[in-house]
Amino acid sequence: MAEIVRRLRPGQYWRIKEHESWFSDMSEQGLHFYEIGTHFAKFKKGDRKRMDYRLELAKSKYISSEKIRLFEESGWDYIASDRNFHVFASPTDRKANEPPIDREEQITVANALFKKTLISFIFILFALAALFWLIGGLWFNDETPILILIEGHMFTTTLLYLLNIFHLISMAMGLLGIARIRRDMKEGNPDDRQKPWENFYRNNLITYVATLVLSLIAACIPIYQLLHLGTVTLPEEDPTLPFVRLAAIENAPHLERDVFMIDGEDWRNSYSENWSIVAPVQFKMKENFIEKKGQWSDPNNSYNPSISAEIFRLSFHSLVAPLVEDLITEHTFDDETELFTEREHDGFDRLLVRLSDRNKEFIFVKEQAVMYIDYSGEVEADVIIVKAAEKMMLLTES
């Protein structure tokens, strides 16, 4: 039994002359085309031969026995079909006549193929336009696109959308190619010249591999993110976590955790992790304290300090400045008059502070690490800044 060799088939089916050249060159290398599938063409390994190939546009894979007989009378053997063309071959030394291709029939087939491709093109174009509106809204609705990029939850959706844009471009090129074939047939100027296939085959191979790799990345990223997602109870002490803790700044033994348990986790004192390509280290945390009941000076339990944080270590320093701007946008409401102001501090590349009657907010920047802290309580801002500088070292030295 002859050895079977598979080669990735060019997706650009309208480039008929390049296909004919490809099959001929394969035969000269001892690989003789005999079957074509969705993604691969099959060749039987044998003796090197000089073969000529001709392709005829087809409405479907069906070919009549009458047509096969007509081609055989002209010296051409039927080889295979796919949904777009039939393939015939003849040894070069047989000196076969040009195959009896019906020009009017080919124009009809080209018209049908053009119409079918055009309908698909318009449908995909409208679908992508609708998705563009939807995806654009998700990216820019909160006016924090860099924060959305860094959190990474839209990465896969956007990547798949861009792959479909590429598919649409390829389809548009197909329309132009079919239109050119149809025009040449109508004008009675069929292109009889053999054309080199190497460039378009190489480009098709690169495109195929790149599409496959990007599709695998798009599929794997959500799985990897899911493995890193999850909210867990904040441990009482864990020096490896880059969090400024209430116990470290309040210095008040009359306080205890304000606990709210759901499914075994304390959601008022918890943290979650996330991962993305542009920010492989991400944390969100929150912690709430309340005065112990019954034995302390305030019978109303009115002092309830809290702290929350968003922490990022970025892959690229160029994202630091836009992330800071997005954090300011995210945490600023329309009715707020207080603004973040810059402060100088040796422990940070940038330090932004906003103080109000209700909260003390900070944005710390050190190299590629960014930390946002929102504190509500009576502790002075400088105490929090000192502790943040210590925790920032965990992000910049690891």
Side-chain angles (χ1 to χ4, degrees):
M1 181 178 291
E3 182 180 350
I4 305 302
V5 176
R6 290 176 174 80
R7 291 285 186 273
L8 184 68
R9 59 170 292 187
Q12 299 158 339
Y13 54 84
W14 67 91
R15 303 184 74 158
I16 291 175
K17 304 312 293 183
E18 286 90 341
H19 276 82
E20 292 175 354
S21 297
W22 181 43
F23 293 145
S24 294
D25 288 352
M26 289 296 102
S27 288
E28 288 197 36
Q29 297 175 24
L31 299 176
H32 306 291
F33 169 74
Y34 81 100
E35 185 178 335
I36 195 161
T38 303
H39 299 291
F40 292 92
K42 294 182 181 178
F43 299 84
K44 288 181 180 177
K45 205 166 186 178
D47 296 334
R48 297 171 180 266
K49 290 183 181 178
R50 289 180 58 82
M51 298 285 292
D52 296 323
Y53 287 85
R54 292 292 183 271
L55 270 61
E56 182 192 49
L57 287 175
K59 292 180 180 179
S60 67
K61 294 181 68 172
Y62 172 76
I63 183 171
S64 66
S65 56
E66 177 65 17
K67 175 169 288 189
I68 293 174
R69 185 184 62 77
L70 286 174
F71 274 74
E72 287 176 343
E73 289 177 355
S74 299
W76 296 89
D77 301 320
Y78 170 67
I79 304 298
S81 297
D82 78 346
R83 59 185 177 180
N84 294 310
F85 50 71
H86 304 304
V87 183
F88 301 89
S90 176
T92 301
D93 55 12
R94 186 186 290 174
K95 300 184 183 304
N97 297 322
E98 279 302 306
I101 294 177
D102 187 330
R103 188 165 64 91
E104 294 301 322
E105 180 186 345
Q106 289 293 281
I107 293 173
T108 301
V109 173
N111 284 336
L113 183 58
F114 184 86
K115 183 178 179 181
K116 177 183 174 183
T117 307
L118 181 61
I119 291 173
S120 299
F121 177 84
I122 293 173
F123 176 80
I124 294 175
L125 179 64
F126 275 98
L128 290 178
L131 282 174
F132 180 81
W133 176 80
L134 177 62
I135 293 173
L138 293 173
W139 274 95
F140 295 98
N141 187 48
D142 293 332
E143 300 179 354
T144 57
I146 298 301
L147 194 55
I148 291 174
L149 169 70
I150 287 170
E151 290 177 342
H153 302 308
M154 288 294 296
F155 185 85
T156 295
T157 303
T158 305
L159 182 57
L160 292 176
Y161 180 80
L162 294 176
L163 287 174
N164 277 285
I165 290 287
F166 181 81
H167 176 65
L168 188 70
I169 294 173
S170 178
M171 189 175 288
M173 294 172 62
L175 278 173
L176 294 175
I178 297 167
R180 184 172 62 252
I181 292 172
R182 185 178 58 177
R183 181 201 60 200
D184 290 342
M185 289 180 177
K186 287 181 177 179
E187 294 177 353
N189 299 314
D191 188 358
D192 294 329
R193 297 170 297 175
Q194 296 294 310
K195 293 183 178 178
W197 54 272
E198 289 84 354
N199 287 340
F200 98 98
Y201 185 84
R202 182 182 60 250
N203 294 339
N204 185 70
L205 182 62
I206 293 172
T207 301
Y208 184 87
V209 172
T211 302
L212 181 62
V213 170
L214 291 175
S215 299
L216 287 174
I217 290 173
C220 291
I221 283 179
I223 297 173
Y224 193 75
Q225 285 179 319
L226 284 173
L227 294 175
H228 284 73
L229 283 176
T231 300
V232 297
T233 300
L234 196 63
E236 294 288 346
E237 291 185 11
D238 189 340
T240 65
L241 293 173
F243 305 148
V244 175
R245 308 295 296 274
L246 285 177
I249 59 176
E250 290 287 342
N251 192 25
H254 61 290
L255 296 174
E256 63 182 4
R257 277 188 169 183
D258 185 10
V259 177
F260 182 68
M261 301 297 293
I262 298 178
D263 296 332
E265 300 293 346
D266 181 359
W267 285 77
R268 283 184 181 151
N269 303 278
S270 60
Y271 76 97
S272 59
E273 294 183 71
N274 190 20
W275 174 92
S276 73
I277 292 176
V278 295
V281 176
Q282 300 183 43
F283 293 102
K284 288 187 178 181
M285 65 81 68
K286 56 186 175 183
E287 190 172 29
N288 291 269
F289 274 12
I290 191 171
E291 288 188 339
K292 294 179 180 177
K293 296 180 180 178
Q295 53 183 314
W296 304 100
S297 58
D298 185 354
N300 298 318
N301 297 324
S302 59
Y303 185 53
N304 305 103
S306 66
I307 192 168
S308 63
E310 297 175 35
I311 299 165
F312 308 90
R313 190 174 70 199
L314 307 175
S315 301
F316 309 103
H317 192 273
S318 58
L319 291 173
V320 169
L323 173 59
V324 170
E325 295 302 316
D326 277 9
L327 286 172
I328 293 173
T329 300
E330 184 187 38
H331 295 288
T332 301
F333 299 96
D334 293 338
D335 59 344
E336 290 181 324
T337 56
E338 301 88 359
L339 300 176
F340 282 91
T341 56
E342 293 269 3
R343 275 195 192 181
E344 294 292 332
H345 193 284
D346 293 339
F348 307 102
D349 299 333
R350 288 186 72 187
L351 168 57
L352 292 93
V353 180
R354 180 167 67 174
L355 306 178
S356 67
D357 295 338
R358 296 172 299 172
N359 299 78
K360 299 177 180 68
E361 294 174 86
F362 310 86
I363 297 177
F364 305 98
V365 177
K366 179 71 173 179
E367 299 175 4
Q368 294 176 198
V370 178
M371 177 186 297
Y372 165 81
I373 288 180
D374 183 3
Y375 168 75
S376 174
E378 297 175 352
V379 173
E380 295 296 326
D382 288 342
V383 175
I384 300 171
I385 292 171
V386 169
K387 291 298 179 184
E390 295 175 3
K391 295 299 180 182
M392 190 64 96
M393 294 176 65
L394 296 175
L395 298 168
T396 57
E397 293 182 351
S398 58

